Every structure is written in structure tokens, then in C-alpha cells.
Amino acid sequence: MAKVPSAVVAATGLVGGYGVARWTGKRQLGGVVLAGAGAAAAQQWRARAGGKAAAALSAAYVAAFAGSHPLAKKVGAWPSVLGVAGAVAVASWAVADRRTAG
């Protein structure tokens, strides 16, 4: 079975967490999706790039989640979520996935 890149896992957690919260009306359920994907991505980051990189990328993931809220007031909810998810995906690829590509 092919390995899913951590960039995809992280971006899916941010987008999926927001989508689940919005479509179900249950923020806690969205939080479960967000946290689960974040934990899975963190395991991949640690395995692929080490503990320091995993800690930095995990901090970026949490910061992206937190930063999407004020950004949404300026650009809208979906553009905000997609933007921060893209930023985390790029960082994840650059730090962890690029090393295992190929």
C-alpha cells in the first residue's frame, strides 16, 4: 500500500476538521478530526524528519488552526482554511516528505 504523504494528512486534517464542524454543527466533532489528523501527521513527521522537525511542524499545524480564525474575518472562512492548509502542506513537504519522495 502506498504511503500517504504527511502534507496530505495535515492539510486534510485542517480542511476536514473545519468541514466536519461546519456541516454537522458540532465543533467538537471537527476537533476530533483535526486532532486525529494532526497526531497522525506528527507521527509521520517524527519518523521522516526527527523530533525537532515534528515539534516545529506540529506547532505550525496548531498555529495554522488558530491563525485561520482571524484570517477568516478578512478573507472568508473557506479561503482562510484552504490557505493555512496549503501553507502547512508546503512546510510539511519541504521538511519531511521531500526526503522520502522518489
Side-chain angles (χ1 to χ4, degrees), residues 22-90:
R22 180 165 179 135
W23 292 318
T24 64
K26 299 188 185 307
R27 294 176 70 182
Q28 298 86 351
L29 192 55
V32 169
V33 172
L34 178 78
Q43 286 182 329
Q44 289 181 311
W45 293 329
R46 178 178 296 276
R48 294 176 184 172
K52 289 181 182 180
L57 288 167
S58 294
Y61 186 80
V62 171
F65 167 70
S68 69
H69 292 83
L71 182 60
K73 292 179 181 178
K74 297 187 183 301
V75 300
W78 278 113
S80 173
V81 170
L82 295 173
V84 300
V88 168
V90 168

